[in-house]
Amino acid sequence: MEFRNELVKICEQYPKFKFNFHYRNWETDFLRFYQSQINYNISKTSVSLSTTMYKGKKSYSFSLKNPIKAKLLEKIEEVKMIIDKLPEDPDFIDLEDDLTKSAEKEKINNIEKVSLDKKIDILEKLIKAIEPFDFKIYGTFICNYRTLYIINSNGLNKREICSPIFLEVKAVSNKNEVTVLETYGGENFNTFDVERFTKDLATKVEAATGEIVDVEPGEYEVVLAPRCIGDYLMYLESSMTARSLDTKQSFFEGKVGQKIFPENITITDDPEHPDLINFDYNHDGHIYKKLPIIEKGVFKNFMVDNYYGRKLKMKKNGAEGSGLVMETGNKTREELIGSIKRGLYISSLHYMNFINRKETSVTGLTRDGTFLIENGKLTKAVNNLRFTERISDIIKGISEIENRSYTIPSSSNYGEFEIYSAKMPHVKVKGFKISSSTRTV
Amino acid sequence: MKKLVYDIINKLDIPEVTYADVRFTNTDDQTVYFEKGNLKYFGSDMDSMALGIRVLVNGCWGFAGTTILTDASIEKTIKKAITNAKVGSRFRREPVSFKKLKPVKASYSFAPKEDPFQIDDKFKIDYHEKIAKKLVGNEKIVYSNTYTVFYRQYKIFANTEGTFVDSMVYDTMPMMYVLASDGKETMCRTWPGHMNGRRGGFEVVRNVKMEENADKIIEEAIKLLDAPRIEEERADIIIGGGHLALQLHESVGHATEADRIFGKEISYAGKTFIKPAMLSNFKYGSEIVNIFSDSTNEGGMGFHLVDDEGTPGANVDIVKNGILLDQQTSQETAALLGVQPSSNMLASFADDIPLIRMTNFCLAPGKGSLDDLIKSTENGYYIDFTKTWSIDDNRNNFQFTTEIGWKIENGKLKHIVKEPTYYGITPEFWAACNGICGPEEWEFHGTFHCGKGEPGQSMHLSHGVAPARFKNIVCNVKA
């Protein structure tokens, strides 16, 4: 019998207890390259079961690798001996009870579709295109395939498949280490246009062959690449959860319905967006559908899961920020850059960390291509810079938004890691605070 | 399992495989977590077994790992590792090569004073519940938590050079946290701070005395709400051991990982400002700065008999009298640099590929107590307990914020300051070190969460440090 069915049976077999099961089959094929050659290719497989067993408001959690029924039953018997001795969690009310199912689509296993040979062929093409500029490529080319079953004693029996592809290429100058970045992410490899990717990377490399300069700390008008605004929003997302309200760390506390950001800021969480890596359910197994987060500058909704929804008496919505989409504006990227007399173009961010989460203050650095804008043109590479700033102020400072947006993949990287994506345009920000220079690229 | 590892390494002893290593790990962990006085999570992940096979074929590494330990899965994993290397070698321009090492056959088992996996669960729950209840009750404390993670790992390592070593270690990581609010802003305090991992069992929890320090952090968090910030442009700062461990970790530890020199981490963790030509001549710090990587010290979480490619544990000077001498290396990078491998290749679990990792990365002690160092400071700040950390891609520009600081005036600690934030450039900062406390203040701090590599790995490691003073540091950064 399929192990999933065994889990359903166990829920019925122990009526005095409630169970929450996450049964996962996960594999990755992970190519890492440097200096235009392979570093290593890793293949990993794992099968795991995460279980939380409840008796009233008491609970115990455990994980099993390669679970089999006998092992699971043995563990359940062990937990039965412990669980009565544990203190209650007075805030726990019940497990997820949303039985709504998505289409639970089948997905092609991209590990099989995009072989190591195929990956190497693509990378060789990229190398050829940038070699004349004396650059080499560094990066990762990942395919994952994961099937997750979420089963609980409230009748949930759901399946979600993810088959993401993530390609991140950094082209680094042999001469001075100036770096540019190009990425692809998605689940449908047919959307990967190798010619366009190669051309975009080569164009960036060509623009990065000039001299390197340093800039003084101070306030600058900047154009943030889609990846940067995506990063800031992902950090801010930790303030958009019901849990952040409970832990008193939310910037948005008491601000639902208030206009916080400029009129041009609209952000949704859309896990079904055709250009993104799609998810059917949140971690509880609640159906995960599009949700407005910020609409024309007004904060609309917290992301509410089962535990905190019940605890804080908020309506659960299953959102968890795995598909953030920012609405586009009406300017081209060239117009955004063209409108700046002296400013900066920032390609990517590095090592950002909160100073004060509730105030949204962070420090972090630029990476993988920071450029000086002079008289509306990218003129020189700039050493990486440190910013110390409130994310809320950065978003308040967005004056213009590009008229197209890009899929920005990111990897959670650890354990049985997931790959996520967001859809973001370039934005122009006024008064961006640079606090120091790193003096290196 | 020894037989399994032995059988696999024998299967890999074939002409097409230049070198191979096989690792098996069986990992147990348990977490007790209270939030706002209530048990929010109690759970374990026991007998988590993993197998990893790394091969060098045609000058290219191939790796495969699995948690599925059936015969069919193991065969598939062996084949996959070899295929990854073979196919990958068409994309390898400079073949990997290194010298053979002498084989090591040994066994090691750490004995905790109190084995947390043998202690009754109810006792552990009650112990933490008492602390958790102490953290709630004050109306200005709007959030609190306390937890401990217990961990043990059994590992078998074998390679085709004849090394066969097994080991068992125990690590423990206790923590408590309070967040105070006056309705306008929030301030936090932790204990024992973010470098809270130690080699050992339940004795580690007792040693950090969480219950005894609960009232202290509550009081400090509340006082921080009304405390001033540092106003000076620059100041002398004495950094306490917990935070100094992180300063050392970020600005010297990661900077001296040799894989970064060759760009192997550019795609994720980053590079380093260090170039091979700097070895033996670059001034990394003042003359009193001595830094070493020591995987032979059993007191730290970085102890091992051999690393994950068979290099015996070693104590290597990285910075001596302020001069950069060496790097943390693998066999491959040591060969490229023309140095001896430093025994720093490690993986978190067997199904992870080994990477260059810090082990016990230490700042050698100087002289005198912390009191002596404060007394000899006319004006400055004593700061500790990391709040925020950030460092650039080259490990050159860093900025840290601690939870709390104390103003020093005429050699005495005065009032507290909130969120002291300082910034520096790595070699300039270490050159400004003008006082390091002595062996009586030197101790291991550590973490379970040093992230590196792709796919990412979270490593347990330790830093031996004593508080130290740095002169004229920029500390006026504000968001």
Side-chain angles (χ1 to χ4, degrees):
Chain A
M1 185 193 287
E2 206 186 340
F3 193 66
R4 164 190 200 175
N5 297 332
E6 297 285 6
L7 298 175
V8 174
K9 269 183 76 178
I10 284 172
C11 290
E12 293 160 2
Q13 209 175 315
Y14 292 88
K16 285 186 183 167
F17 300 92
K18 280 199 167 188
F19 293 90
N20 191 32
F21 294 117
H22 277 211
Y23 174 49
R24 185 192 302 257
N25 280 268
W26 179 89
E27 55 182 316
T28 187
D29 206 74
F30 199 119
L31 171 62
R32 211 167 179 212
F33 47 96
Y34 77 114
Q35 294 189 5
S36 292
Q37 63 177 342
I38 189 169
N39 187 353
Y40 48 71
N41 193 65
I42 285 177
S43 305
K44 279 176 82 162
T45 53
S46 75
V47 180
S48 64
L49 175 71
S50 301
T51 303
T52 303
M53 189 168 155
Y54 295 84
K55 188 175 181 188
K57 289 176 181 288
K58 297 178 175 188
S59 70
Y60 186 94
S61 302
F62 59 91
S63 300
L64 295 173
K65 292 276 191 303
N66 310 316
I68 54 168
K69 188 180 173 187
K71 218 166 152 185
L72 176 59
L73 292 177
E74 192 184 306
K75 194 72 199 173
I76 288 171
E77 289 306 313
E78 267 179 45
V79 177
K80 279 168 73 178
M81 307 296 285
I82 305 168
I83 201 159
D84 283 328
K85 297 177 190 169
L86 303 179
E88 290 186 342
D89 174 3
D91 300 325
F92 173 74
I93 294 168
D94 197 0
L95 290 172
E96 181 58 68
D97 57 1
D98 170 40
L99 300 178
T100 322
K101 277 199 177 190
S102 73
E104 296 193 348
K105 280 180 280 186
E106 298 295 331
K107 291 179 183 174
I108 287 169
N109 184 340
N110 283 311
I111 292 178
E112 287 162 11
K113 184 165 181 178
V114 191
S115 66
L116 179 54
D117 264 321
K118 194 176 267 184
K119 287 175 180 173
I120 292 171
D121 290 343
I122 290 165
L123 295 176
E124 294 282 16
K125 212 169 210 177
L126 300 177
I127 292 165
K128 259 193 191 161
I130 63 157
E131 253 172 2
F133 302 101
D134 199 19
F135 276 62
K136 282 186 174 154
I137 61 165
Y138 300 71
T140 47
F141 203 155
I142 315 166
C143 297
N144 282 6
Y145 188 74
R146 183 269 281 159
T147 309
L148 170 69
Y149 299 96
I150 301 177
I151 291 156
N152 78 16
S153 298
N154 282 350
L156 263 75
N157 184 353
K158 302 185 181 184
R159 188 201 68 183
E160 180 186 81
I161 296 175
C162 254
S163 187
I165 306 158
F166 178 130
L167 170 61
E168 179 174 279
V169 180
K170 295 185 183 189
V172 181
S173 163
N174 293 326
K175 192 175 74 185
N176 56 21
E177 293 187 355
V178 168
T179 305
V180 297
L181 175 72
E182 193 64 32
T183 57
Y184 166 81
E187 291 189 286
N188 179 3
F189 195 60
N190 296 332
T191 63
F192 178 67
D193 182 345
V194 66
E195 302 305 330
R196 182 171 169 176
F197 191 96
T198 310
K199 196 176 155 216
D200 288 349
L201 182 69
T203 305
K204 286 180 181 175
V205 164
E206 197 171 358
T209 49
E211 63 175 304
I212 304 168
V213 294
D214 216 15
V215 300
E216 290 296 312
E219 291 193 9
Y220 288 83
E221 203 164 9
V222 300
V223 173
L224 295 176
R227 188 183 175 100
C228 302
I229 191 66
D231 275 357
Y232 284 127
L233 289 176
M234 275 188 254
Y235 271 68
L236 196 60
E237 183 196 301
S238 67
S239 250
M240 298 169 180
T241 63
R243 176 174 161 76
S244 70
L245 278 176
D246 189 54
T247 59
K248 303 291 175 192
Q249 295 278 36
S250 175
F251 167 76
F252 295 103
E253 185 175 354
K255 291 177 181 162
V256 174
Q258 286 183 23
K259 190 162 184 219
I260 303 166
F261 298 127
E263 184 86 11
N264 57 359
I265 306 297
T266 293
I267 296 158
T268 53
D269 183 17
D270 187 359
E272 297 176 296
H273 194 290
D275 295 341
L276 297 181
I277 293 160
N278 294 160
F279 297 91
D280 298 321
Y281 305 110
N282 78 345
H283 62 274
D284 296 317
H286 191 290
I287 191 86
Y288 185 8
K289 295 276 185 192
K290 185 175 176 177
L291 182 79
I293 304 292
I294 292 161
E295 226 168 54
K296 296 187 174 179
V298 177
F299 182 68
K300 300 298 280 187
N301 286 297
F302 280 96
M303 300 171 187
V304 185
D305 67 3
N306 176 64
Y307 183 94
Y308 288 99
R310 291 180 189 270
K311 179 178 179 184
L312 304 177
K313 298 189 170 41
M314 296 171 77
K315 192 172 183 299
K316 293 181 287 172
N317 53 35
E320 53 187 9
S322 301
L324 292 181
V325 178
M326 186 175 194
E327 202 168 282
T328 52
N330 56 8
K331 303 280 182 198
T332 64
R333 175 182 170 273
E334 289 67 32
E335 283 169 339
L336 296 182
I337 294 169
S339 64
I340 294 176
K341 198 166 179 208
R342 189 170 188 276
L344 299 164
Y345 178 90
I346 300 174
S347 301
S348 182
L349 306 177
H350 176 65
Y351 220 132
M352 190 155 58
N353 222 334
F354 278 110
I355 296 172
N356 192 309
R357 195 176 288 266
K358 192 171 172 71
E359 292 170 3
T360 76
S361 57
V362 291
T363 187
L365 299 121
T366 67
R367 187 189 198 184
D368 303 330
T370 308
F371 297 94
L372 190 65
I373 301 172
E374 290 175 305
N375 299 319
K377 288 201 165 66
L378 301 187
T379 54
K380 299 169 185 94
V382 177
N383 283 328
N384 287 328
L385 301 167
R386 174 173 295 287
F387 52 87
T388 305
E389 179 67 290
R390 292 180 184 209
I391 297 176
S392 52
D393 287 346
I394 293 169
I395 297 171
K396 281 176 192 168
I398 294 176
S399 56
E400 304 279 6
I401 300 176
E402 191 187 3
N403 59 7
R404 69 172 277 212
S405 57
Y406 308 76
T407 303
I408 310 301
S410 62
S411 164
S412 61
N413 210 19
Y414 290 88
E416 293 166 350
F417 66 89
E418 301 278 3
I419 293 171
Y420 303 101
S421 54
K423 189 123 173 105
M424 299 285 144
H426 282 87
V427 297
K428 188 169 100 175
V429 179
K430 283 180 181 164
F432 187 86
K433 287 181 204 142
I434 298 299
S435 54
S436 60
S437 164
T438 69
R439 306 181 206 168
T440 52
V441 286
Chain B
M1 284 301 166
K2 281 185 182 175
K3 187 178 178 310
L4 172 74
V5 171
Y6 189 77
D7 289 347
I8 298 170
I9 206 74
N10 277 344
K11 279 186 187 168
L12 292 166
D13 198 6
I14 50 176
E16 70 174 332
V17 174
T18 316
Y19 168 90
D21 49 45
V22 177
R23 282 168 299 115
F24 164 82
T25 51
N26 188 355
T27 311
D28 298 329
D29 66 53
Q30 186 180 49
T31 302
V32 185
Y33 177 80
F34 279 85
E35 194 173 272
K36 295 189 187 178
N38 299 316
L39 182 66
K40 278 284 180 288
Y41 179 87
F42 183 48
S44 60
D45 187 355
M46 306 293 279
D47 287 326
S48 185
M49 293 188 231
L51 179 76
I53 296 165
R54 187 176 69 141
V55 299
L56 187 64
V57 177
N58 300 336
C60 179
W61 290 116
F63 181 85
T66 186
T67 62
I68 308 164
L69 300 181
T70 59
D71 289 347
S73 167
I74 291 167
E75 280 307 314
K76 196 175 154 195
T77 306
I78 294 170
K79 278 186 192 148
K80 195 73 198 170
I82 293 174
T83 306
N84 279 342
K86 271 188 186 168
V87 177
S89 67
R90 65 172 267 242
F91 189 44
R92 181 83 204 178
R93 277 120 179 94
E94 294 154 23
V96 175
S97 73
F98 47 82
K99 286 180 193 161
K100 262 191 159 186
L101 290 168
K102 280 187 186 164
V104 177
K105 290 189 193 305
S107 189
Y108 175 78
S109 186
F110 178 87
K113 286 183 184 149
E114 294 179 82
D115 185 339
F117 296 96
Q118 299 297 323
I119 291 175
D120 180 46
D121 286 335
K122 180 77 168 67
F123 171 80
K124 284 177 275 190
I125 296 288
D126 290 348
Y127 190 98
H128 287 83
E129 188 170 29
K130 215 167 158 190
I131 297 161
K133 297 292 182 202
K134 279 198 89 169
L135 299 178
V136 294
N138 187 307
E139 62 176 10
K140 285 197 169 169
I141 299 299
V142 293
Y143 175 77
S144 64
N145 67 46
T146 180
Y147 66 86
T148 297
V149 182
F150 303 104
Y151 160 100
R152 69 179 166 196
Q153 186 178 68
Y154 175 69
K155 175 161 70 178
I156 306 169
F157 171 87
N159 68 14
T160 46
E161 294 173 345
T163 290
F164 199 102
V165 173
D166 70 318
S167 61
M168 169 71 105
V169 296
Y170 285 73
D171 296 334
T172 295
M173 191 172 71
M175 177 65 126
M176 59 181 181
Y177 170 94
V178 293
L179 183 74
S181 173
D182 56 6
K184 287 176 285 182
E185 64 176 342
T186 56
M187 286 290 143
C188 69
R189 280 289 287 114
T190 57
W191 187 270
H194 287 285
M195 277 284 174
N196 51 341
R198 304 284 187 276
R199 171 74 16 114
F202 197 82
E203 68 274 14
V204 172
V205 183
R206 294 190 199 275
N207 290 345
V208 299
K209 296 183 173 20
M210 289 199 283
E211 195 184 343
E212 294 87 326
N213 284 285
D215 289 340
K216 176 184 151 75
I217 63 166
I218 289 169
E219 188 188 332
E220 286 177 349
I222 293 169
K223 278 187 176 169
L224 280 170
L225 293 168
D226 298 318
R229 292 177 189 274
I230 295 179
E231 290 302 330
E232 293 98 317
E233 181 80 14
R234 287 173 175 268
D236 292 354
I237 54 172
I238 295 174
I239 303 180
H243 179 65
L244 187 59
L246 185 71
Q247 174 74 58
L248 179 74
H249 177 99
E250 299 290 0
S251 64
V252 191
H254 281 307
T256 56
E257 294 164 341
D259 47 358
R260 290 168 178 267
I261 290 187
F262 298 102
K264 288 184 166 208
E265 286 295 326
I266 280 182
S267 59
Y268 180 63
K271 307 175 279 202
T272 172
F273 67 91
I274 293 169
K275 308 292 173 218
M278 291 177 173
L279 298 189
S280 300
N281 60 64
F282 180 73
K283 190 174 183 300
Y284 209 106
S286 65
E287 280 189 7
I288 62 168
V289 173
N290 292 287
I291 294 167
F292 54 95
S293 167
D294 182 8
S295 47
T296 67
N297 188 329
E298 289 185 55
M301 293 186 286
F303 170 81
H304 53 242
L305 295 177
V306 295
D307 71 359
D308 285 346
E309 52 182 17
T311 303
N315 185 346
V316 177
D317 286 326
I318 302 295
V319 176
K320 186 85 180 162
N321 301 328
I323 301 298
L324 177 70
L325 285 190
D326 209 336
Q327 295 286 287
Q328 299 164 86
T329 53
S330 58
Q331 292 201 61
E332 180 188 345
T333 55
L336 291 169
L337 288 168
V339 298
Q340 290 299 312
S342 65
S343 195
N344 283 89
M345 278 292 269
L346 293 165
S348 299
F349 301 97
D351 59 342
D352 291 324
I353 194 166
L355 302 165
I356 295 177
R357 303 309 304 255
M358 284 172 253
T359 55
N360 298 319
F361 194 82
C362 307
L363 173 67
K367 275 185 193 162
S369 67
L370 176 58
D371 277 351
D372 294 338
L373 194 62
I374 292 169
K375 273 180 195 157
S376 66
T377 305
E378 199 180 330
N379 251 299
Y381 293 89
Y382 170 56
I383 63 173
D384 205 354
F385 301 100
T386 309
K387 187 167 189 183
T388 291
W389 59 101
S390 173
I391 189 160
D392 77 294
D393 196 13
N394 282 292
R395 301 276 148 182
N396 202 35
N397 171 315
F398 58 80
Q399 185 172 304
F400 293 105
T401 300
T402 61
E403 293 166 4
I404 190 164
W406 288 263
K407 173 79 178 158
I408 303 171
E409 277 173 13
N410 300 317
K412 284 187 180 149
L413 292 184
K414 298 288 180 181
H415 61 85
I416 61 169
V417 289
K418 70 171 72 165
E419 293 181 342
T421 299
Y422 67 98
Y423 137 81
I425 296 290
T426 295
E428 292 171 10
F429 179 81
W430 286 98
C433 180
N434 67 357
I436 302 171
C437 293
E440 66 271 40
E441 303 280 358
W442 194 91
E443 60 179 328
F444 275 120
H445 303 261
T447 182
F448 285 12
H449 301 303
C450 174
K452 189 179 172 184
E454 288 177 307
Q457 298 180 42
S458 209
M459 182 57 67
H460 296 205
L461 52 86
S462 289
H463 297 291
V465 293
R469 185 176 58 205
F470 299 83
K471 65 177 181 194
N472 204 28
I473 302 302
V474 177
C475 52
N476 70 338
V477 190
K478 291 175 191 71

